[in-house]
Amino acid sequence: MAEQNPLSRLDDPDYPTLTMSQAAELLGVQAAFLRSLDTSGVLTPHRSPGGHRRYSRTQLAVAARMRVLLDDGHSLASAEAIVNLQDQLAEARDDAARLRADVDRLTVEQRLEP
C-alpha cells in the first residue's frame, strides 16, 4: 500500500492548518474575534495536543462571512442564522440542480427507448 503524500492534506479545505494568529492575520481581525466565534459555538476549531486552536480554510471562510455581517450591523446571533440559512439555500440549490439533471437524463433515456 502506497503512502499518501502528507502535503496533500494542505489541499483539504477542512484540514486545520492555521494557528489563531495566522488566521487572524489572514482575515484582518483580532484573535479575540476568533475566540468569540469559538465561545459562541459558531466555529469549533481543532485543538492541538497543547490546546492551541487550529483553523481550516472552511472555518476561515465562515469567519470571514461572519465578519462582513457583523460589520454590517448584525448581531452575532443573527449573523450566525444568516450564514446557516445561506448554507442551507446553497445546499437546496445544489440538490435542485442534481434533480434537474436526473430528470433531463431520464427524459432523454425515455425518448431513446423503442
Side-chain angles (χ1 to χ4, degrees):
M1 181 166 143
E3 268 190 50
Q4 187 178 6
N5 178 358
L7 292 179
S8 68
R9 292 182 290 190
L10 295 175
D11 295 330
D12 179 355
D14 294 316
Y15 186 74
T17 57
L18 299 166
T19 65
M20 179 182 286
S21 61
Q22 291 168 327
E25 182 178 337
L26 278 171
L27 294 173
V29 299
Q30 297 294 317
F33 171 71
L34 293 172
R35 278 192 295 277
S36 72
L37 294 181
D38 183 10
T39 301
S40 68
V42 172
L43 291 181
T44 306
H46 175 78
R47 295 290 182 144
S48 70
H52 299 282
R53 292 172 178 91
R54 298 281 189 252
Y55 294 89
S56 68
R57 290 191 328 254
T58 300
Q59 290 172 322
L60 291 187
V62 170
R65 292 165 62 198
M66 291 292 295
R67 179 80 265 162
V68 168
L69 291 166
L70 293 168
D71 287 347
D72 286 346
H74 292 279
S75 69
L76 184 61
S78 68
E80 181 180 10
I82 290 167
V83 167
N84 288 334
L85 289 169
Q86 288 171 335
D87 290 346
Q88 289 174 12
L89 178 59
E91 286 178 30
R93 285 180 173 156
D94 289 345
D95 289 345
R98 278 191 297 279
L99 290 171
R100 277 192 296 277
D102 287 347
V103 167
D104 292 345
R105 179 184 50 78
L106 293 170
T107 301
V108 168
E109 287 175 6
Q110 185 178 15
R111 287 183 187 154
L112 296 176
E113 287 182 6

